Amino acid sequence: MTRYDVFNGDADGLCALQQLRLAFPADAVLVTGTKRDVRLLERVPAQRGDTVTVLDVSVEANRAALTRALDAGAVVEWFDHHYAGEPIAASNFAPHLDAAPRTCTSLIVDDWLGGRWRAWALVAAFGDNLHAEAERLARAEGYSDQQTRTLLELGQCLNYNAYGESVADLYFDPAELATRMRPYEDPFAFARDAGVLQRLQLGYADDMTHAMRAVPQAIGAHARAYFLPDENWARRVIGAFANGLAIEYPGIAHAVLAARPDGSFTVSVRAPENRPEGADELVRAFPTGGGRKNAAGIDRLPPLEVDAFLRALGARYGD
């Protein structure tokens, strides 16, 4: 019998796992990767008697692997906020799914646990660009402005760390981060003592300096696109840059396209903050697209499809 913890390598996946394992300590095989590694269940050779916990990756993107695991007799519990597709009914499948645009996987876990480890959920919410929700909950918890700022910076930096062509591009392997986080009941001590936040802050600031030089391309009145070069910094910062644009210009949809070595583009899309919907539908019209209503992406957009994507962006958000 083997236990597997399968989680997205971004702030939301990490913090969702942290909450669960603080509440229910258990040794498990960690299966994770970069932000764009979403078909993680394909790596799990689940058999009868195995237990699989999946966090912050789409059921739809892993449907075939999930069906195999369930048919093999594994028990699978799933927490997620992405588009899930058609429901799967099985006695050995326990889904906790909510695709509402103003939630994230860690907030789903937080609700399920009765708010017991809420500070970690707030880190994830800030990392997932749910600033209004995170700030509201932080006030309700009585956190000071400085404490809230720490949660925000940690969330942004953990999220930033997950973006790259491969784990080798990241400052920290997400599996290593999960292991480093495990002893810490609250994120304030982790931020102060673990040495992770300080290192990521330096990288984040340097990469954002490059990104801020990008010139926007207007796609209608309420949509903009930014093109970043084939550089490691661009692939690392694409998500954080898109999040920052969404906050600064809440009435505008944004697409950030970072060139890849093979000539294709990685794409991050953010719906307008004051109309947080449609991003998932937009990207699912293209192969390798997926995400949620307010934030979504395309792993590999061929260069010949860039114009079609920009037209679709303009049609969805431009007017």
Side-chain angles (χ1 to χ4, degrees), residues 12 56 80-82 97-111 121-122 124-137 242-243 246-252 269-280 291-295 317:
D12 198 15
D56 200 37
D80 187 48
H81 66 133
H82 299 91
L97 308 175
D98 184 353
R102 292 305 187 184
T103 194
C104 62
T105 302
S106 285
L107 289 177
I108 295 170
V109 173
D110 174 70
D111 183 64
L122 299 186
F126 278 123
D128 250 20
N129 219 35
L130 300 175
H131 285 218
E133 288 72 17
E135 288 170 357
R136 176 180 58 81
L137 289 170
N243 286 344
I247 294 170
E248 187 172 0
Y249 306 102
I252 296 175
V269 177
R270 299 295 181 269
E273 283 289 293
N274 60 11
R275 187 161 43 111
E277 57 186 26
D280 56 342
R292 58 190 196 274
K293 296 179 185 296
N294 58 330
Y317 297 113

Side-chain angles (χ1 to χ4, degrees), residues 51-114:
T51 301
V52 185
T53 301
V54 186
L55 302 142
D56 200 37
V57 292
S58 163
V59 169
E60 180 67 7
N62 292 271
R63 185 169 294 267
L66 173 57
T67 300
R68 286 194 299 272
L70 295 174
D71 289 346
V75 175
V76 181
E77 188 164 29
W78 205 295
F79 296 84
D80 187 48
H81 66 133
H82 299 91
Y83 172 76
E86 291 298 317
I88 294 176
S91 61
N92 52 335
F93 180 47
H96 309 271
L97 308 175
D98 184 353
R102 292 305 187 184
T103 194
C104 62
T105 302
S106 285
L107 289 177
I108 295 170
V109 173
D110 174 70
D111 183 64
W112 190 66
L113 294 175

Side-chain angles (χ1 to χ4, degrees), residues 8-312:
N8 192 283
D10 69 357
D12 198 15
L14 284 162
C15 293
L17 176 63
Q18 179 71 355
Q19 291 177 84
L20 278 178
R21 290 295 158 250
L22 284 171
F24 306 105
D27 292 327
V29 177
L30 301 182
V31 181
T32 187
T34 69
K35 174 73 173 179
R36 301 292 181 177
D37 288 335
V38 296
R39 291 175 174 81
L40 293 171
L41 201 60
E42 294 177 356
R43 305 180 192 174
V44 178
Q47 302 295 324
R48 182 173 299 279
D50 292 345
T51 301
V52 185
T53 301
V54 186
L55 302 142
D56 200 37
V57 292
S58 163
V59 169
E60 180 67 7
N62 292 271
R63 185 169 294 267
L66 173 57
T67 300
R68 286 194 299 272
L70 295 174
D71 289 346
V75 175
V76 181
E77 188 164 29
W78 205 295
F79 296 84
D80 187 48
H81 66 133
H82 299 91
Y83 172 76
E86 291 298 317
I88 294 176
S91 61
N92 52 335
F93 180 47
H96 309 271
L97 308 175
D98 184 353
R102 292 305 187 184
T103 194
C104 62
T105 302
S106 285
L107 289 177
I108 295 170
V109 173
D110 174 70
D111 183 64
W112 190 66
L113 294 175
R116 186 176 176 188
W117 310 103
R118 178 153 294 163
W120 282 112
L122 299 186
V123 171
F126 278 123
D128 250 20
N129 219 35
L130 300 175
H131 285 218
E133 288 72 17
E135 288 170 357
R136 176 180 58 81
L137 289 170
R139 287 194 298 271
E141 293 295 311
Y143 291 130
S144 67
D145 289 347
Q146 182 55 52
Q147 286 175 312
T148 301
R149 182 68 187 176
T150 297
L151 298 175
L152 173 109
E153 291 179 351
L154 182 58
Q156 287 180 331
C157 285
L158 289 177
N159 215 55
Y160 156 77
N161 179 75
Y163 285 86
E165 186 73 14
S166 68
V167 169
D169 291 336
L170 311 183
Y171 285 93
F172 297 95
D173 185 325
E176 177 192 351
L177 278 181
T179 302
R180 288 195 183 201
M181 289 165 59
R182 186 63 53 85
Y184 292 91
E185 293 193 0
D186 76 74
F188 303 109
F190 176 77
R192 183 183 64 245
D193 299 336
V196 170
L197 178 59
Q198 296 80 0
R199 182 175 178 186
L200 292 177
Q201 283 175 322
L202 292 174
Y204 178 87
D206 186 52
D207 287 352
M208 283 297 289
T209 298
H210 293 293
M212 293 303 294
R213 300 188 184 116
V215 178
Q217 176 179 337
I219 311 296
H222 298 98
R224 294 176 182 168
Y226 290 76
F227 287 83
L228 303 183
D230 176 16
E231 299 285 351
N232 286 340
W233 68 260
R235 288 184 285 274
R236 285 195 301 264
V237 83
I238 181 173
F241 183 47
N243 286 344
L245 292 169
I247 294 170
E248 187 172 0
Y249 306 102
I252 296 175
H254 294 90
V256 182
L257 296 84
R260 298 172 56 99
D262 63 3
S264 66
F265 292 86
T266 297
V267 185
S268 280
V269 177
R270 299 295 181 269
E273 283 289 293
N274 60 11
R275 187 161 43 111
E277 57 186 26
D280 56 342
E281 296 175 359
L282 171 67
V283 302
R284 286 204 306 272
F286 299 86
T288 74
R292 58 190 196 274
K293 296 179 185 296
N294 58 330
I298 303 171
D299 290 343
R300 286 178 173 82
L301 182 69
L304 293 178
E305 294 190 26
V306 169
D307 286 343
F309 169 75
L310 295 178
R311 287 194 298 271

